[in-house]
């Protein structure tokens, strides 16, 4: 893994100024993973997003509680629902990186699970559900990608800068790039899910924006914030509030709705 170069709020301001000098908007979007139920953390997340930024809620269909759909329905707008796999179970071979959809899993099995999850979320969330897949652990074997469009999916979202906007016909890819949980520390102590730290989180944000601006990354891909509301500690929540307030004060920054990032083909 490439080392993260820490940054400050002043560094972020300078990067935003560089975009503004080019007459370009700083495009962001926000995805939160592992939603299953109406919890205090979920309500805190929705309250934080309200009026500040559109939120794409990645929901696990197999463990969906009816209360989650009710909680989302109470929100006037700004919340989209994406599909977070089907059951979030690791099916990778022993010793391999975790994946619900490894290459070794039969494609027919993958297709059946995805279709079941798609139908579950469509029934629960109606028009708020976008048929876009966010695979658990951000891994989805290339051997299965051709099945997605055939099942009616219009998008996929993983982690790190995308290689191309459309990995297969009629399938858009819009990734996330700023995961604010320190997963390396969590691996060392599985009982914790600590905040990455302001310097490193801003480093990821500034780094991807600079890479887009200079052509080292796809300049048309919105920079994606990735959160996991169920495991946020106090510092994580505080950073999120500060980031949303900071961006709201700067007109050159635009938070994009997932519905605009994953529109129906032909629109």
């Amino acid at each position: 893994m490439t080392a993260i170069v820490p940054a400050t709020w002043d560094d972020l301001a300078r990067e935003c100024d560089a975009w503004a000098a080019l007459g370009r908007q700083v495009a962001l979007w926000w995805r939160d993973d592992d939603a299953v139920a109406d919890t205090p953390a979920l309500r805190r997340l929705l309250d934080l997003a309200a009026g500040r930024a559109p939120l794409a809620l990645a929901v696990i269909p197999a463990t969906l509680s009816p209360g989650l759909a009710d909680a989302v329905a109470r929100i006037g707008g700004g919340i989209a629902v994406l599909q977070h796999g089907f059951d979030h179970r690791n099916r990778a071979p022993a010793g391999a990186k975790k994946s619900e959809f490894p290459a070794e899993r039969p494609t027919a099995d993958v297709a059946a699970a995805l279709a079941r999850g798609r139908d579950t979320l469509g029934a629960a969330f109606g028009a708020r559900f976008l048929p876009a897949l966010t695979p658990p652990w951000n891994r989805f074997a290339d051997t299965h990608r051709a099945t997605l469009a055939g099942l009616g999916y219009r998008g996929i979202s993983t982690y790190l800068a995308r290689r191309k906007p459309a990995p297969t016909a009629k399938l858009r890819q819009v990734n996330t790039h700023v995961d604010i949980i320190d997963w390396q520390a969590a691996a060392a102590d599985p009982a914790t899910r600590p905040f990455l730290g302001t310097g490193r989180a801003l480093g990821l944000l500034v780094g991807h924006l600079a890479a887009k601006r200079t052509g080292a990354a796809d300049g048309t891909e919105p920079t994606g914030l990735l959160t996991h509301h169920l495991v946020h500690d106090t510092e994580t929540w505080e950073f999120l509030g500060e980031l949303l307030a900071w961006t709201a004060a700067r007109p050159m920054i635009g938070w994009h709705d997932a519905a605009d990032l994953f529109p129906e083909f032909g629109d």
Side-chain angles (χ1 to χ4, degrees), residues 16 19 25 40 42 48 50 53 56 77 80 92 104 107 113 119 126 128 151 163 177 188 196 206 228 237-238 261 266:
C16 290
W19 280 77
Q25 182 193 61
L42 185 280
L48 193 61
E104 294 80 4
T107 296
D119 293 347
R128 288 187 190 265
L151 292 170
R163 289 176 289 178
H177 315 86
L196 186 63
V206 172
H228 294 76
W237 286 116
E238 289 176 349
L261 302 180

Side-chain angles (χ1 to χ4, degrees), residues 229-253:
H229 68 279
L230 289 174
V231 299
H232 288 177
D233 60 16
T234 300
E235 290 76 16
T236 306
W237 286 116
E238 289 176 349
F239 173 78
L240 274 177
E242 190 172 6
L243 178 64
L244 291 171
W246 195 95
T247 59
R250 287 158 177 82
M252 82 286 288
I253 298 175

Side-chain angles (χ1 to χ4, degrees), residues 70-98:
D70 293 340
V72 171
R74 288 192 291 268
I75 303 298
I79 307 296
V81 171
L82 310 180
Q83 182 174 342
H84 199 37
F86 174 67
D87 57 17
H88 210 302
R89 286 178 51 204
N90 178 30
R91 290 176 174 80
K97 292 183 178 180
K98 290 181 178 180

Side-chain angles (χ1 to χ4, degrees), residues 66-252:
L68 179 61
D70 293 340
V72 171
R74 288 192 291 268
I75 303 298
I79 307 296
V81 171
L82 310 180
Q83 182 174 342
H84 199 37
F86 174 67
D87 57 17
H88 210 302
R89 286 178 51 204
N90 178 30
R91 290 176 174 80
K97 292 183 178 180
K98 290 181 178 180
S99 175
E100 186 178 343
F101 305 107
E104 294 80 4
R105 187 175 181 186
T107 296
D109 184 32
V110 169
L114 289 176
R116 184 178 173 190
R118 175 203 61 199
D119 293 347
T120 296
L121 297 182
F125 295 99
R128 288 187 190 265
F129 171 60
L130 304 177
L133 178 67
T134 68
W137 300 286
N138 292 295
R139 298 188 185 103
F140 190 80
D142 289 345
T143 52
H144 302 313
R145 288 189 184 238
T147 68
L148 292 176
L151 292 170
Y153 289 89
R154 33 176 117 147
I156 186 169
S157 178
T158 58
Y159 191 68
L160 299 179
R162 67 187 179 191
R163 289 176 289 178
K164 55 179 69 174
T168 62
K170 294 191 175 182
L171 188 72
R172 292 180 176 85
Q173 181 144 14
V174 184
N175 288 349
T176 55
H177 315 86
V178 185
D179 188 339
I180 61 176
I181 301 295
D182 189 341
W183 295 107
Q184 287 187 327
D189 182 1
T192 66
R193 296 290 187 272
F195 175 45
L196 186 63
T198 297
R200 296 172 71 198
L202 291 178
L204 290 174
L205 179 53
V206 172
H208 188 248
L209 290 174
K212 292 194 301 178
R213 178 174 52 80
T214 60
D218 183 345
T220 66
E221 181 179 27
T223 298
L225 172 68
L226 177 58
T227 61
H228 294 76
H229 68 279
L230 289 174
V231 299
H232 288 177
D233 60 16
T234 300
E235 290 76 16
T236 306
W237 286 116
E238 289 176 349
F239 173 78
L240 274 177
E242 190 172 6
L243 178 64
L244 291 171
W246 195 95
T247 59
R250 287 158 177 82
M252 82 286 288

